[in-house]
Amino acid sequence: CPPRRAYSTPSAPPPEPPDYLNEAELRIFNKVKVELEPVRLEVQDISGGCGTMYALEIESPKFQGLTVFKQHKMVNEVLKEDIKGWHGVQLRTKAA
């Protein structure tokens, strides 16, 4: 019997930003996309367009084996300069 060959499973392509994102949402989207390599990513300004509060949903293989607290800490580290000017952020993370 020949040895079994291990094949890697094809990974999902990185998400593309939707056309409706504003400039600030797009900047956040691209920053998270580069740093966390998500398979699913949503960014929304929930402050009525003034850029002071965002909702983010991120599903990334980089979160595998981490607690939600550590996942959020990773996101906060990536966005720390942006977050300084925000009033708040709603964060939902999930390991891919």
Side-chain angles (χ1 to χ4, degrees):
C1 215
R4 288 181 58 143
R5 293 181 71 181
Y7 292 96
S8 62
T9 55
S11 60
E16 289 302 316
D19 294 337
Y20 55 80
L21 294 185
N22 66 32
E23 189 177 323
E25 290 168 330
L26 184 59
R27 187 182 69 252
I28 294 162
F29 186 100
N30 287 328
K31 194 179 281 193
V32 170
K33 180 179 169 180
V34 167
E35 295 293 325
L36 299 177
E37 301 168 6
V39 296
R40 187 169 162 275
L41 175 58
E42 292 182 28
V43 177
Q44 183 183 7
D45 179 347
I46 54 173
S47 63
C50 63
T52 57
M53 188 159 179
Y54 290 89
L56 287 88
E57 287 194 37
I58 307 165
E59 185 176 344
S60 171
K62 289 194 171 192
F63 295 149
Q64 200 68 42
L66 299 178
T67 63
V68 171
F69 178 79
K70 288 184 178 178
Q71 293 172 16
H72 288 200
K73 196 170 178 182
M74 281 178 73
V75 176
N76 289 337
E77 187 60 31
V78 168
L79 297 173
K80 66 182 172 187
E81 291 304 313
D82 300 279
I83 289 173
K84 287 179 182 178
W86 298 353
H87 291 297
V89 61
Q90 290 179 356
L91 197 50
R92 290 193 192 102
T93 58
K94 180 180 176 184

